[in-house]
Amino acid sequence: MKYRNVKIDYENNLGRTMKKNRSESKRAGIILALACFLMLVSSAGAQVTLLYNFGTHAGDPAHPNYPGSVVQGRDGNLYSTSNDGGTDNAGTVFKITPAGQVSVLYSFDGVTGALPSSGLTLGTDGNFYGTTFENGPSNYGTVFKITAEGKLTLLHGFDGSDGSGPWGTPVEGTDGAFYGTTEHGGSADCGTVYRVTAGGSFKTLYNFDGTHGCQPLAPLVLGNDGNFYGTTLVLTGGNNPNLGAIFKVTPAGAITLLHSFDGTHGAGPYAPLIQASDGNFYGTTVNGGNNEGVVFRISPAGVFTDLHDFDLSQDGGEPFSALVQGTNGVLYGTTAYGGAFNVGTIYSIPLGSGSLNAVYSFDVTSGTAPGAGLTQHTNGSFYGDSAWGGSDDLGTLYSFSHGLSPFVRLVTTSAKVGKTVQILGQGFTGTTAVSFHGKASTFHVVSNTYLTALVPNGATSGFVTVATPGRILKSNQVFRVIP
């Protein structure tokens, strides 16, 4: 079985209609202007550390790509996928320690899929879930699960009629099944929404028809209301065709169009949405605004606000990656271009604000075109990777510190009284108490980085705290007690 060789540049690797015709003279002029006055690439309080150059060892991951979700496992390590590399040069699943040690867990060979750009989702069963863009039984891509030890199980191979080319990782719903999208395939070849269980039971929930969106690339996000929210690159018909859309879809497959982009306030929503602590969704587009993309906010009801238009010479441009909300409440993201060396930036933006600050400029050595989104480890630092750059131009792995303290992460953020909640963190050995919004819980320490706790009687929605021997750790999200 053959699979595509992806020794191509970042934009061509995505194969999309981005700003292909930006002139080299414009880029060169920006770089020259920046070089005249911008000597420092990090703002005060921001520290970026290069942890690993992909390609250092034979069979290494290579070109970790958009959307490339990096996720923390129960063991405190980070897990993701690379679009290239491995023993068959068809992509990998790899593990990263917080110190930057990288090991390949699985090399794709075409049979189980190829070009896994999705990254991974941690399931409540402790396994990881992801997709491959190509190959598999019918050559249209696959959904898989994989253990922390590297045992991979093929859950579904797409055949075109049920979808083709899944870019984003599936996300777990409140029912324990996983929900995702494909870019193409389905009845109108506009992509699909699907549901798959951990055992491999598969169902197509919705066939995109163009008028409700077409080409959903980004992963879905599970909202607080139990529905899923996502974006499409194309929307046919209406006043603003082909600029993209935002939609809501229920677990049963009923879809609602929430917003169509108009170019002036954004176009090309490659990045997935996130639901922030204020209940609104936030995201980015790679086009529109000043032609470099925007940061936007949208309510669950569809009220849209353009918060910030990127300026390549000021804060970067073309933000492919997802935003992440840090434990300080601030949103962080990356751009593929711009900065002091025009190869990307890390930026921050206060929640609900339009005041964006570029806090770091990549310099080729530290990475080029960081398309995968940042993830905040429970040690307080952020981790990410770049598609290119580094010593072998195969991409890099880096950490980003902004002075934030350790915390705990809830694998699920809502449950009924009496249900078990999984909690990730560090220093759990010797834990003396776990509480839900001040209500003491029965808990079980499984390892130094993973414990479980029961939602106690009388618990109300609020933050979860874990009292360890070293400190009291607070969850980065509010836990919602159902009902």
Side-chain angles (χ1 to χ4, degrees), residues 73-341:
R74 291 177 175 179
D75 58 2
N77 294 313
L78 298 164
Y79 295 80
S80 190
T81 64
S82 69
N83 198 60
D84 205 348
T87 55
D88 290 285
N89 204 35
T92 71
V93 176
F94 62 93
K95 177 175 71 174
I96 315 155
T97 69
Q101 293 179 320
V102 173
S103 55
V104 174
L105 297 180
Y106 187 85
S107 292
F108 287 93
D109 58 6
V111 177
T112 50
L115 309 187
S117 295
S118 66
L120 299 170
T121 291
L122 175 65
T124 52
D125 59 2
N127 296 314
F128 301 95
Y129 292 78
T131 63
T132 66
F133 184 71
E134 286 188 354
N135 291 104
S138 300
N139 204 35
Y140 290 95
T142 68
V143 184
F144 64 86
K145 72 176 177 181
I146 187 168
T147 68
E149 294 73 37
K151 181 182 178 181
L152 186 139
T153 302
L154 180 64
L155 297 180
H156 182 74
F158 292 95
D159 64 11
S161 67
D162 58 5
S164 171
W167 272 94
T169 181
V171 298
E172 190 168 2
T174 56
D175 59 355
F178 293 83
Y179 295 76
T181 62
T182 65
E183 182 191 5
H184 293 294
S187 58
D189 199 28
C190 271
T192 64
V193 179
Y194 65 86
R195 175 185 186 273
V196 65
T197 67
S201 176
F202 181 91
K203 181 180 181 180
T204 300
L205 297 177
Y206 182 77
N207 290 277
F208 283 95
D209 57 7
T211 58
H212 293 88
C214 186
Q215 290 183 249
L217 255 72
L220 298 170
V221 61
L222 176 65
N224 292 336
D225 58 4
N227 296 312
F228 299 93
Y229 294 78
T231 61
T232 66
L233 287 184
V234 175
L235 178 71
T236 61
N239 296 324
N240 303 297
N242 302 321
L243 299 181
I246 302 172
F247 65 88
K248 175 179 73 174
V249 61
T250 70
I255 198 162
T256 302
L257 182 65
L258 295 178
H259 179 75
S260 59
F261 288 95
D262 61 7
T264 302
H265 302 100
Y270 282 78
L273 303 170
I274 67 160
Q275 189 167 27
S277 57
D278 63 359
N280 292 309
F281 293 92
Y282 291 80
T284 63
T285 68
V286 300
N287 293 318
N290 293 323
N291 203 37
E292 305 295 345
V294 308
V295 178
F296 64 84
R297 176 183 67 211
I298 186 168
S299 73
V303 179
F304 180 90
T305 305
D306 179 355
L307 295 175
H308 180 81
D309 294 355
F310 282 92
D311 184 331
L312 192 67
S313 64
Q314 297 291 326
D315 43 42
E318 300 188 15
F320 287 94
S321 67
L323 292 163
V324 59
Q325 186 174 17
T327 47
N328 57 354
V330 173
L331 301 175
Y332 294 87
T334 63
T335 66
Y337 295 105
F341 306 99

Side-chain angles (χ1 to χ4, degrees), residues 252-440:
I255 198 162
T256 302
L257 182 65
L258 295 178
H259 179 75
S260 59
F261 288 95
D262 61 7
T264 302
H265 302 100
Y270 282 78
L273 303 170
I274 67 160
Q275 189 167 27
S277 57
D278 63 359
N280 292 309
F281 293 92
Y282 291 80
T284 63
T285 68
V286 300
N287 293 318
N290 293 323
N291 203 37
E292 305 295 345
V294 308
V295 178
F296 64 84
R297 176 183 67 211
I298 186 168
S299 73
V303 179
F304 180 90
T305 305
D306 179 355
L307 295 175
H308 180 81
D309 294 355
F310 282 92
D311 184 331
L312 192 67
S313 64
Q314 297 291 326
D315 43 42
E318 300 188 15
F320 287 94
S321 67
L323 292 163
V324 59
Q325 186 174 17
T327 47
N328 57 354
V330 173
L331 301 175
Y332 294 87
T334 63
T335 66
Y337 295 105
F341 306 99
N342 203 34
V343 293
T345 67
I346 298 174
Y347 63 88
S348 66
I349 181 168
L351 188 64
S353 167
S355 178
L356 186 145
N357 180 36
V359 298
Y360 179 75
S361 290
F362 289 90
D363 62 0
V364 180
T365 299
S366 59
T368 298
L374 295 166
T375 187
Q376 189 178 15
H377 191 280
T378 55
N379 63 17
S381 294
F382 298 86
Y383 291 79
D385 50 39
S386 68
W388 300 89
S391 58
D392 296 292
D393 202 25
L394 298 177
T396 64
L397 169 70
Y398 62 88
S399 65
F400 162 59
S401 174
H402 217 201
L404 303 185
S405 300
F407 63 97
V408 293
R409 171 175 284 116
L410 310 174
V411 178
T412 53
T413 57
S414 63
K416 295 180 180 180
V417 168
K419 294 296 183 180
T420 299
V421 174
Q422 302 178 26
I423 302 175
L424 307 180
Q426 55 281 308
F428 286 165
T429 301
T431 290
T432 56
V434 176
S435 65
F436 287 70
H437 201 192
K439 191 71 174 179

